[in-house]
Amino acid sequence: MRLTFLGGTETVTGSKYLLESGKHRLLVDCGLFQGVKSLRRRNWESLSATLGGLDAIVLTHAHLDHSGYLPLLHRQGYRGPIHCSAATAALCGILLPDAGYLQEEEARLANRLGYSRHHPAEPLFTRADAMNCLERFKPLATGKTHRIGPFEVRLTPVGHLLGACAVRVTCDGHTVTFSGDVGRPDDPLMAPPEVLEPTDDLVVESTYGDRRHPDEDPQQALAAVVDDVARAGGVLLIPAFAVGRAQALLHLLHELRRTKAIPALPIYVDSPMATRATAVFQAYPETHRLDAAQTRALGEIATFVEGPEESMALAGKVGPMIILSASGMATGGRVLHHLKVFARETCNTLLFTGFQAPGTRGDAIVNGADAVKIHGHMVPIRAKVRQLHCLSAHADHVQMTDWLGRMSKPPTRVFVTHGETHARAAMAAHIEESLGWPVLRPAEGDRYRLPDD
Ligand SMILES: [Zn+2]
């Protein structure tokens, strides 16, 4: 077998790993490059030459940096199956069409305002492209071995996001396992990652290779913020990622309310995608750690806002109340309308709950900007600004080495991928030091023989 790294090596985006045996070819993950322009530009390169003749694609999970290139590959002619867990397929059914729609919107806006170098500006892919590729999805049961040509494939849940799994591939008597993104053992929503079965080679992520999560109880931290807002009679506006983070927040708010740790303020979820993702959480109860009552509560604790009129009407309501709205870094979506209204008042609080990428409005606000530009106008930030750092969906380096160390047999080699340069180097060093396993840091385009002989 041969393994080629086609993305997700020195960056956390664009994961694509190609396995070949004779004339058979299997692609593990099919992610978009995201972030800075030089990376995003790479999504426009056709991979039809590199990835021609694929037998199948297997996804670790639904995040776009692992699945978002699928509509493009479909447009380039790929018609084979796309395998993943059932929950991953369901989430891709939400995330990919939404990504296509946003690309079309951006192209429309660029054409209207004339800010693109390209005339006309084209979307990277469309909602229709995404819908077409969804027809190729063939979910696989987790914890069972499936045969795809000469490859035996097994999916093992690893927390992180609903449906996220490590992918174990055996071929020619050799096994390689791709961790995908690995969750943390103390995630409020997702079960801890299952221990991996023995494998010859292991490809492991390193997003948090150089970080430890703060020792902060997310429930207590959230309760303090909600209490503050209730006392001030203000609005708590939470820009939240619609898939995963929004459900984690709903769950924490439900637990706080159930134990009477916070007053029963009205809660609004103003994100159609968060509403649909919440329904997927309810449809796959076996893939997360909530019991039946807690799962039901996700849908009952909040008012799910539907149309734009209802969304606009929230601006006229008086606090105290809580509004959860996407996007999580305030780069787009309905949360922008709410920021325009609620960021101006000192009695309100803006609560950011995830990593804020440099250059985003969220990053500017958490770093103390007096004002941010929204829809062409400067909006003053007079509301209190808070950030919860304890809701990350990735294992930190200690959690990662603890989890790896529980494998019954060490792998022969570990390829550390999916991390910014510093994080990846740090994770590699932690694995070498605490587990004593041989570690490699592949560069993009690198090709390895499995086994190495
Ligand atoms: Zn992920």
Side-chain angles (χ1 to χ4, degrees), residues 60-66 160-161 164 180-182 393-394 418:
T60 59
H61 67 294
H63 280 146
L64 292 177
D65 53 330
H66 296 258
H160 180 62
L161 177 71
D181 288 358
V182 179
H394 288 267
H418 197 282

Side-chain angles (χ1 to χ4, degrees), residues 167-249:
V167 174
R168 185 178 195 265
V169 183
T170 305
C171 182
D172 309 334
H174 191 88
T175 298
V176 54
T177 301
F178 301 84
S179 74
D181 288 358
V182 179
R184 48 198 290 183
D186 52 352
D187 190 289
L189 212 55
M190 300 305 302
E194 290 182 17
V195 176
L196 295 180
E197 290 169 81
T199 182
D200 299 308
D201 283 304
L202 174 64
V203 180
V204 74
E205 68 123 335
S206 59
T207 312
Y208 271 69
D210 56 350
R211 272 175 284 178
R212 291 294 326 267
H213 295 312
D215 194 16
E216 181 184 41
D217 175 2
Q219 268 196 44
Q220 277 176 13
L222 185 60
V225 178
V226 174
D227 253 354
D228 246 20
V229 169
R231 233 172 287 143
V235 176
L236 175 58
L237 176 60
I238 313 180
F241 302 97
V243 178
R245 191 64 47 79
Q247 292 74 31
L249 285 161

Side-chain angles (χ1 to χ4, degrees), residues 80-162:
I82 300 164
H83 298 296
C84 57
S85 69
T88 294
L91 289 183
C92 283
I94 299 173
L95 285 166
L96 293 175
D98 181 73
Y101 169 77
L102 290 178
Q103 300 274 353
E104 288 181 76
E105 281 292 286
E106 206 174 298
R108 261 194 292 272
L109 204 66
N111 286 325
R112 189 151 57 85
L113 304 177
Y115 63 68
S116 173
R117 283 191 299 120
H118 306 278
H119 302 286
E122 301 277 355
L124 179 62
F125 61 87
T126 63
R127 189 173 187 280
D129 292 327
M131 296 305 288
N132 290 339
C133 90
L134 292 180
E135 289 168 18
R136 315 309 306 175
F137 274 71
K138 304 269 181 297
L140 301 177
T142 60
K144 292 199 165 68
T145 302
H146 307 271
R147 183 164 273 285
I148 302 168
F151 305 101
E152 280 179 4
V153 173
R154 209 175 160 87
L155 303 178
T156 303
V158 287
H160 180 62
L161 177 71
L162 201 73

